[in-house]
Amino acid sequence: MAASVSLGVGSLVWVEDPELAWLDGEVVEVNGDTIKVACTSGKTVVVKGSNVYPKDAEAPPCGVDDMTKLAYLHEPGVLQNLRSRYDMNEIYTYTGSILIAVNPFTRLPHLYDNHMMAQYKGAAFGELSPHPFAVADAAYRLMMNEKISQSILVSGESGAGKTESTKLLMRYLAYMGGRSVAEGRTVEQQVLESNPVLEAFGNAKTVRNNNSSRFGKFVEIQFDQRGRISGAAIRTYLLERSRVCQVSDPERNYHCFYMLCAAPAEDVQRFKLGNARTFHYLNQSNCYELEGVDDSKEYIATRKAMDIVGISSDEQEGIFRVVAAILHLGNIEFKKGKETDSSEPKDEKSWFHLRTAAELFMCDEKALEDSLCKRIIVTRDETITKCLDPHSATLSRDALAKIVYSRLFDWLVDNINCSIGQDPDSKCLIGVLDIYGFESFNTNSFEQFCINLTNEKLQQHFNQHVFKMEQEEYTKEEIDWSYIDFVDNKDVLELIEKKPGGIIALLDEACMFPRSTHETFSQKLYQTFKNHKRFSKPKLSRTDFTICHYAGDVTYQTDLFLDKNKDYVVAEHQALLSASNCSFVAGLFPPLSEESSKSSKFSSIGSRFKQQLQALLETLSVTEPHYIRCVKPNNLLKPAIFENKNVLQQLRCGGVMEAIRISCAGYPTKKPFDEFIDRFGILAPEVLDGSSDEVAACKRLLEKVGLKGYQIGKTKVFLRAGQMADLDARRSEVLGRSASIIQRKVRSYLSRRSFISLRHSAIQLQAACRGQLARKVYESMRREASALRIQKDLRMFLARKAYKELCSSALCIQRGMRGLAARNELRFRRRTRAAIVIQSQCRKYLAHLHYMRLKKAAITTQCAWRGRVARKELRKLKMAAKETGALQAAKNKLEKQVEELTWRLQLEKRMRADLEEAKTQENAKLQSALQEVQLEFKETKELLMKEREVAKRAVEQIPVIQEVSVIDHAMLDKLTAENEKLKSLVSSLEKRIDETQKKYEETNKLSEERLKQALEADQKIVQLKTAMQRLEEKFSDVESENQILRQQALLKTPVKRIADILSTPEKNQGLENGHHLSEENGANEPMSAMPIKEVETDSDSKMRKSHIERQYDDIDALIKCVSKDIGFSQGKPVAAFTIYKCLLQWKSFEAERTSVFDRLIQMIGSAIENQDNNDHMAYWLSNTSTLLFLLQKSLTSTGAAGAAPRRKPPPTSLFGRMAMGFRSSPSAYLAAPPFEVVRQVEAKYPALLFKQQLTAYVEKIYGIVRDNLKKELTPLLSLCIQAPRTSKGTALRSGRSFGKDSPSSHWQSIIECLNTLLCTFKENFVPPILVEKIFTQTFSYINVQLFNSLLLRRECCTFSNGEYVKSGLAELELWCAQAKEEYAGSSWDELKHIRQAVGFLVIHQKYRISYDEITNDLCPILSVQQLYRICTLYWDSNYNTRSVSPDVISSMRVLMTEDSNNAVSSSFLLDENSSIPFSVDDLSNSLQEKDFTDVKPAEELLDNSAFQFLQE
């Protein structure tokens, strides 16, 4: 198998070893065809050169994730790669599109959580680390894109992990396919819940596995057009029936038998069972219990699984009744009977089990005995009863047990499929095949023959797929592949299943003859296939035969072939059980149809299985296959043990080596152009000079080295077997010569460096000596100069001192004389000023005393006069108050009238609905009645307006208000008469119903119009109710106006002129939106203390317009204004400030019901519909957050501590409360403090609800902006995690590596995105705390994405890629520094995981670092799992730096094993945090009230007279 390559001394090779399969070593001697190899294990072997394989010296120590990337694709290379990855807990490896899964025999929960599924969702195949999720995702994507059904074939020997891999595949498909719920459970859940049931009845302990599936399973998962799971079906193949009766030591029978024996006591007594050791079908082996498995608990779990799947309690009772009956059947022994060749139960024990079995089957005891001991032969003339000898009776007993168990298993599968349900409209499906692998034991019977036939058929399908994939790659690369031979196993399949003349055909033929035995069958095989190259006869056996399968030779024992191949049901058994009184047992054996009962056509297990297999392959042939090969690393079923020979045999049985053989037949080595130049560019450096075309460079390089047989594709170089080793040998020679040159240059450099160092030391010594001498001369010169300087300064000091003493004496004499003159002048001035003050105070006192006496007399006179006038006006007001009741009575009458009109409209509506097909006369009457109601309403409204005008004039003239009746009795009489007419019309219409039915088609169009009119009537009823509410508010306004008019009357006093003078400066300050704001003064306050009221000169003209309509107009104007982008003032949003001032002015916060908050919320919701515009979203984030801050500072809940004393409750409606100004006191405004920006108000429920809704909108807008930024960064991050590929030759010629270059445009794009958003935030004055939180969460997202990609993609864990990512992170750090802490906050700290990981990657001497140094100094934030993942994935193709030492890896593995039971700590991926990281209090603390003192409101509203309060 080994390719002939030229090997020299020092070459690394693989040699075959009988114990370890393959050993690596180094060639130490070459003698012609023989090679002497020193193995790394210490052995020294001499082998032929044709029996060795070259070893890749540059292969990564932790292996490659795709073995097609191996430089040498051969058995030892594949085996070593799997072992290296298994040692690193990397249990999955690709071989092209094939996934090889090595069973770890330990829990690895971090590989299968939901976060891992999210990582593989939509990822390209091969982009992330190998995983079953990647295979499932590729199948799902291909199904959705191409609308082609897919199949995933999971194979491997018992214990390799096929079932677990199948569960993972179905989990991922359910994750991708959504939740198609049926009866409260998903289809995937139902399929998984069926596993415990099928495992209980179809799994058993074998030599190699404690839970081996003894049947094949094909799960079809059906999808609808949207890709959601819509149904599923389970197909089973070849249940091992013989295990029911025959068990080898140390294996076990099916689990259900042991579970039933360990069932609760009541079940055991009911089925008359006991210890498993007492039953013949179970005690043939010494193994009764499994380590770590409690059969009693498994029994309860299986019963619960049956409940979940949908098996009723009665059906469960029937199932276990049958299982118990099979156990009792096995204990029936036979002895010779009284007649010749007859038999009967052996003893009383056998009779007991016979009676128990008959009782459980609910059939006749005698009939059961006869079916076991006798046979009925039907001839043309008569029926003959034949007795069976004890041996034949035993075989009959076993045949009954096997057929009953087989029918029971088939019933379970059918019932589960019915429970799950299938989608007949499904066009696409994904099939998951979990089937037994190739088997070769010491004793191989009919089951192994069928299993290996299955694997031969699947291997042929696999070979065709692999060859097709190779062919597609060659075609894609446009190379010639026509001469490549395809390795096929068609001859083996023809040997087994050819008709006629195949082994199965000969077996069926032998079974049809009663006298055939396994000896005659064997002789027939020997004669038929004596010249077949795939068939042979063992030398030491007369009945065995050997078939050369693709995985090796297997010898089969034919002793039981004929018995196991027979598939007929004994007629006596069929008749016995179909007549059972147990409906479940009878259902297992339905009566045969007349045609089938009369038909004598023979049926066999082999033929039926071949048909099932053909149907399976037909299903697979119309699907796109995907392969998962499961491998069991050792037979001990323990972790961390990798047995080379065992794994190699499984790779051969799984077809992996066959796929490699197919690949080696063509071009096993496929290297991309850049990798080829990087590796072999040193063989011909001149071809790289001045050339940027990699294809041309590869061609010239291969021509230069004289290689033949290669081909150049579009993206890769394709090399034949052995050519890679030849190129590596030449490369080793070049590297050897280069090493000698480097050594020579290094020695020269070291010598020159030593000479230069000595010369430099001598020069330094000389310089030091000269310097010391110069310093001494300089010191003496400096001392002499210092002495001269001291003498000069001393003489100067003495002269200056004498001069200063003389000058000081003269100045002291002058100062004394001037001071004496100044003090005399000051004394004179003080005396003069004191005399003047005394005189002025005396005059002031006399004038003040006279003024106070006059003022006291004037005030006394005014108070007396005002009291007299006030008492007179009080008497008049008391009389006027009595007449207000008339208005209230009119209001009540009008309410009753409106209710009566509403009831009449509802009656008319019901009549119209019942008589929908009536003539147009009724509709016209109803319409006229409605118009009359509207007319009446208008008249009532006009009467009300007239009454208001009369009331105003009456108050001005102060007459007694006359009671005005608002009830029109004539109209009521008219309506009553009309109602009577309508009743008579109803009776007449009932008689004409028959006539109207004939005219239905003609009046159909008219009925639609009437329906429309009825809807309009409903709307008008609603309008009437609204008008009723408005009337109530108008009545309250009338009362308010009466109070105002009375107050105005009081103002017409002789002191009116003084009040006008005092109130003129504050005349318009008490009005806001046309209403006063001060509190209502109680009517019971002392009249003597009543303040002077302000008189509105234009109040009459303003009250002509309804207050309600005016307020609606004001709200509309506010909404229209703030819905636009009205900008900012003093760094604060104008819209938010304007809304707050209006709400505060209108006292909306104190209203118990108002619609202004709903209008604002609707406006904000419609404004943020365009979620993709970050500029627009930032504007509204600024406004909503600012408004929320103002609300947080203003609103206090009812009953808050420190509140003002309880006062009279204000009106409940917003507009009624705003009308309180007509009863307000203007003197309150005279004493009011200056306007405050933020005021504390007592909030009602609508205001608190508005605050909650506004908080939700702030969080929503925050999340939208943050998610928009993430969407922009996601495609850039996928490009930033891996450095662009550059040719090594180009890098060498440019004189620099990529790591020293500036970051690529992808990092710059990220910086630009961040800068753009930051500028947007600054332009819209978004609060800094929100900006900081957005960037902090964004950097956390960057950290998660980069770090997870680093752990999932091996090509990212390199030294050069670490330099690339580190340079990009430096740009992010620079951005954080430029953005300042106000906006960036702790963003840089959020990148701690990727920073520490990248910092570890760029360390040169990792192998010298201890584990404590890594965890304490370099990467303290990373977990053991994350460090282990990085260390095992690390590789360096540019600098050949090594990863950490094996001791550190071992330490990490020990710690991981200790924490393996903790699923949380085992996960190495980071989770993204998408929560809202701030609260309203955080936002409130970040802003200040004083920041809003200079904010200007919206200029558009200042022109509106109703918004003049905004100028305050």
Side-chain angles (χ1 to χ4, degrees), residues 1257-1274:
Y1257 266 110
V1258 171
E1259 295 177 353
K1260 180 180 179 179
I1261 299 173
Y1262 172 90
I1264 291 172
V1265 176
R1266 178 195 62 198
D1267 294 341
N1268 287 344
L1269 180 58
K1270 289 181 180 180
K1271 290 178 183 177
E1272 288 186 57
L1273 296 181
T1274 299

Side-chain angles (χ1 to χ4, degrees), residues 158-185:
S158 179
K162 300 187 298 297
T163 302
E164 291 300 320
S165 297
T166 303
K167 292 178 182 178
L168 293 175
L169 293 172
M170 288 191 291
R171 270 188 59 203
Y172 187 85
L173 292 176
Y175 172 78
M176 294 297 294
R179 296 295 183 210
S180 179
V181 180
E183 299 181 1
R185 303 188 309 279

Side-chain angles (χ1 to χ4, degrees), residues 669-845:
T669 303
K670 312 171 187 69
K671 284 287 185 182
F673 294 133
D674 54 349
E675 293 184 10
F676 187 81
I677 291 177
D678 285 346
R679 181 159 183 158
F680 300 112
I682 61 176
L683 297 180
E686 62 275 8
V687 302
L688 301 178
D689 293 333
S691 174
S692 60
D693 187 2
E694 293 180 338
V695 180
C698 290
K699 289 181 179 179
R700 290 200 300 271
L701 191 150
L702 290 168
E703 292 172 358
K704 185 76 174 176
V705 299
L707 210 61
K708 304 295 182 183
Y710 65 87
Q711 291 210 43
I712 301 294
K714 296 178 68 175
T715 62
K716 298 177 183 177
V717 176
F718 290 82
L719 301 178
R720 300 286 288 177
Q723 291 182 340
M724 187 70 178
D726 190 11
L727 290 174
D728 272 340
R730 299 187 186 190
R731 181 170 176 269
S732 298
E733 294 178 5
V734 175
L735 289 176
R737 291 195 299 268
S738 300
S740 299
I741 296 174
I742 292 172
Q743 290 174 359
R744 184 173 69 248
K745 293 295 185 182
V746 169
R747 293 191 186 101
S748 174
Y749 167 74
L750 293 176
S751 298
R752 178 172 177 77
R753 188 177 66 176
S754 177
F755 166 74
I756 292 175
S757 177
L758 289 174
R759 187 178 67 176
H760 181 70
S761 299
I763 292 173
Q764 291 291 329
L765 184 59
Q766 293 173 2
C769 292
R770 295 191 186 100
Q772 183 65 23
L773 294 176
R775 282 191 292 274
K776 288 184 177 180
V777 174
Y778 173 74
E779 183 68 21
S780 62
M781 292 174 65
R782 192 176 65 172
R783 285 178 176 275
E784 183 178 354
S786 300
L788 294 176
R789 183 67 179 268
I790 291 171
Q791 294 174 5
K792 180 181 65 176
D793 289 344
L794 179 61
R795 295 190 188 98
M796 180 179 66
F797 170 74
L798 294 176
R800 187 186 297 113
K801 182 178 179 182
Y803 169 75
K804 285 184 176 181
E805 288 178 354
L806 181 61
C807 182
S808 177
S809 300
L811 290 176
C812 184
I813 294 172
Q814 294 175 1
R815 186 167 55 250
M817 296 300 295
R818 293 185 185 121
L820 179 62
R823 282 190 292 275
N824 292 334
E825 180 68 20
L826 177 62
R827 191 179 299 108
F828 174 75
R829 291 182 179 180
R830 283 180 176 176
R831 289 176 180 176
T832 303
R833 186 166 59 251
I836 294 172
V837 168
I838 292 171
Q839 294 173 3
S840 64
Q841 290 295 329
C842 182
R843 295 189 189 101
K844 173 184 176 183
Y845 170 75

Side-chain angles (χ1 to χ4, degrees), residues 490-544:
K490 186 177 180 182
D491 52 350
V492 179
L493 295 175
E494 290 181 349
L495 169 68
I496 297 174
E497 59 180 3
K498 183 179 180 181
K499 274 191 173 184
I503 294 178
I504 292 180
L506 295 176
L507 180 61
D508 291 346
E509 182 181 345
C511 291
M512 294 174 65
F513 293 99
R515 296 186 178 180
S516 294
T517 62
H518 66 280
E519 289 90 352
T520 59
F521 169 65
S522 300
Q523 295 302 320
K524 184 68 173 178
L525 292 180
Y526 299 154
Q527 293 174 7
T528 306
F529 305 114
K530 60 182 178 181
N531 295 325
H532 201 288
K533 63 179 182 179
R534 293 279 193 167
F535 184 90
S536 61
K537 174 184 178 299
K539 295 181 180 180
L540 301 179
S541 176
R542 294 184 178 181
T543 58
D544 298 349

